[in-house]
Amino acid sequence: MGGVPGSLVGDASVAPGRLPVPLTLFLRFHARTVVRLRGELNSGKAPRVRRQLLRAFARAPSVLEVDLGKVTYLAPETRALLLAAAAVAHRSGTRFMITHASARSLRVLGELGMQRLMDAPLLPDP
């Protein structure tokens, strides 16, 4: 069986940019993804926090939880990243939650209007 120049199989010609077999892309879907942050999240650590949040969104979760239980300080840059993540989640239909935050972190995030972007109340850690 002779092949046609430019074809992938046998004598069937394939137009550029088309494959003879339909492809199905499967996204990796996770019901819940948790990002656990810790320590003093100063401006120097903002890039690391950003990478963690991007990796979490790449998993296409239905719920994205950010655990602040071991965070001792939230720099303005980190607060901005959390607000941006909440806004992205809100627009994409991902539920966004912040859990285990200290009273101080909750106060600061509340002052920034975080509650409007979240799918669960900002509550202090019990």
Side-chain angles (χ1 to χ4, degrees):
M1 178 188 287
V4 175
S7 73
L8 294 177
V9 289
D11 292 330
S13 180
V14 177
R18 295 194 58 197
L19 294 176
V21 178
L23 294 178
T24 304
L25 298 177
F26 293 97
L27 290 177
R28 217 169 149 187
F29 176 78
H30 296 272
R32 179 187 216 94
T33 297
V34 180
V35 175
R36 287 183 174 80
L37 301 174
R38 72 181 83 158
E40 187 173 306
L41 300 181
N42 56 34
S43 60
K45 293 185 181 170
R48 181 177 57 92
V49 172
R50 182 179 182 277
R51 284 190 303 273
Q52 286 179 286
L53 291 169
L54 287 172
R55 278 195 306 267
F57 276 113
R59 296 174 64 112
S62 60
V63 177
L64 177 56
E65 175 185 340
V66 178
D67 183 341
L68 299 180
K70 295 186 179 182
V71 171
T72 57
Y73 174 72
L74 284 173
E77 294 85 355
T78 307
R79 295 177 214 158
L81 285 170
L82 292 175
L83 278 171
V88 168
H90 186 73
R91 284 192 306 269
S92 67
T94 300
R95 294 186 67 224
F96 186 82
M97 302 167 53
I98 290 180
T99 58
H100 306 108
S102 69
R104 181 177 179 163
S105 293
L106 289 175
R107 183 175 42 78
V108 169
L109 293 171
E111 290 171 0
L112 293 173
M114 178 67 88
Q115 186 60 59
R116 289 177 291 134
L117 297 170
M118 296 198 21
D119 294 295
L122 275 170
L123 299 173
D125 198 20

